[in-house]
Amino acid sequence: QKGQILMAKKDYDAAYNLYDAINRSADRSPASYYAASLVLDARGDTVTAQIELLDSALAMFPDPMPADAANYVLRRGKLYERAGIYRKAVLDYNKFCYLSNNQVNANFYYDRSVLETKARMYQQAVDDINMAVSAEPNNILFLVEKCALMLRVNMLDECVETARKCISLDPSNFDAYRMLGYALLQKDDKTGALENLNKAVQLGDEGAKEIINTY
C-alpha cells in the first residue's frame, strides 16, 4: 500500500527502493517484482531492467505455471516488443493465450498479428488477423491491418476484397483506397488502380500520390 501511495505521488525513487527492499527479503513475491517493474517503467529505466524483474517474478511460479501468471507473461511480452525482440514477444503472447485457456478477445488476436508481422512470422500473422476480423467483421482498424498484411504476403485478391469492404463501411478511409489501388496495380488493372489512388489523394493521402508518380 505504501508503494502504491508513493507511485501515486510520483515519488518513483522511494517506491522502487521500497519494492527493492522487499525483493531482497524473504517477503518477496511475484507481485513485488511486478510492482518494481512498473516503477522502473514510470521512472524511465531501461526495458532490459524491467524484463529482468519480470523474469524474477515468473521464476517464483511453480512449473507448470498457473493461470495467475498470465498477466505477468503478457507484460513481459509487451516489454520484449518494445525492445524489438519480436520472436520472444510472440512466445510470451502464445503462453498468455495458453494460460488464459484461449479465452482472449479480438484485440488480442489483432495485437499478436501485428507483432507476428514484425517478427516476419507471416502465416501466424495471417491466421491471427483473420481471427480478429472474424470476431469483429466491421472493425475498420482490423480491416485496414488485414489489407496491409495481404499486400505484404501478396494475397492480392483478399486485399482487394478486404479493402472494398472497408470502403463500404468507411468511404473516407484513404488507407483502404490506397491499398486497393496498389493491389489493383499489381493485378494489372491500371484503370481501377488509378481511380482508387486518385480517390485516396483527394482524401489527403500523400502516399497514394507517390505511387501515382512512380508508376
Side-chain angles (χ1 to χ4, degrees):
Q1 289 179 341
K2 183 177 180 181
Q4 292 172 353
I5 292 169
L6 290 169
M7 278 285 284
K9 293 170 64 177
K10 297 185 179 181
D11 190 349
Y12 301 130
D13 289 340
Y16 179 76
N17 289 338
L18 176 65
Y19 288 124
D20 187 53
I22 295 171
N23 290 334
R24 293 175 185 275
S25 75
D27 294 325
R28 63 184 177 276
S29 68
S32 61
Y33 281 115
Y34 185 92
S37 77
L38 295 179
V39 176
L40 290 189
D41 190 14
R43 197 170 70 173
D45 283 56
T46 66
V47 174
T48 300
Q50 297 174 52
I51 290 172
E52 288 174 355
L53 287 168
L54 266 297
D55 286 341
S56 296
L58 289 166
M60 295 192 71
F61 285 103
D63 188 19
M65 284 186 182
D68 291 348
N71 287 332
Y72 295 75
V73 171
L74 183 60
R75 173 161 175 77
R76 188 176 65 178
K78 291 180 182 296
L79 291 173
Y80 275 134
E81 181 178 10
R82 282 167 53 183
I85 309 172
Y86 300 125
R87 287 184 176 262
K88 281 192 173 183
V90 171
L91 289 176
D92 272 352
Y93 272 65
N94 293 345
K95 188 177 293 184
F96 170 82
C97 193
Y98 173 77
L99 292 172
S100 302
N101 199 28
N102 294 321
Q103 299 300 307
V104 293
N105 59 24
N107 286 325
F108 174 84
Y109 288 116
Y110 168 81
D111 290 342
R112 190 168 64 177
S113 176
V114 171
L115 182 55
E116 288 160 340
T117 300
K118 292 177 181 177
R120 299 184 180 182
M121 301 167 68
Y122 296 122
Q123 186 56 60
Q124 294 93 322
V126 169
D127 292 342
D128 274 340
I129 198 61
N130 282 332
M131 289 289 288
V133 170
S134 177
E136 295 185 17
N138 295 331
N139 188 308
I140 298 297
L141 177 64
F142 297 170
L143 291 171
V144 169
E145 182 63 28
K146 181 174 179 177
C147 279
L149 182 56
M150 295 301 104
L151 272 181
R152 185 182 288 264
V153 299
N154 204 37
M155 297 175 69
L156 299 177
D157 289 338
E158 285 202 42
C159 177
V160 168
E161 179 184 350
T162 305
R164 284 177 171 154
K165 179 174 182 180
C166 187
I167 290 167
S168 72
L169 294 169
D170 180 11
S172 65
N173 193 294
F174 57 73
D175 287 321
Y177 284 107
R178 182 184 67 252
M179 289 187 285
L180 175 56
Y182 188 76
L184 291 174
L185 191 62
Q186 301 307 303
K187 289 168 63 67
D188 292 324
D189 182 355
K190 294 183 180 179
T191 301
L194 191 59
E195 178 184 343
N196 284 283
L197 290 170
N198 278 325
K199 181 63 176 179
V201 171
Q202 291 171 19
L203 291 168
D205 182 43
E206 293 296 323
K209 187 183 296 185
E210 291 179 11
I211 294 171
I212 292 172
N213 292 337
T214 301
Y215 289 91

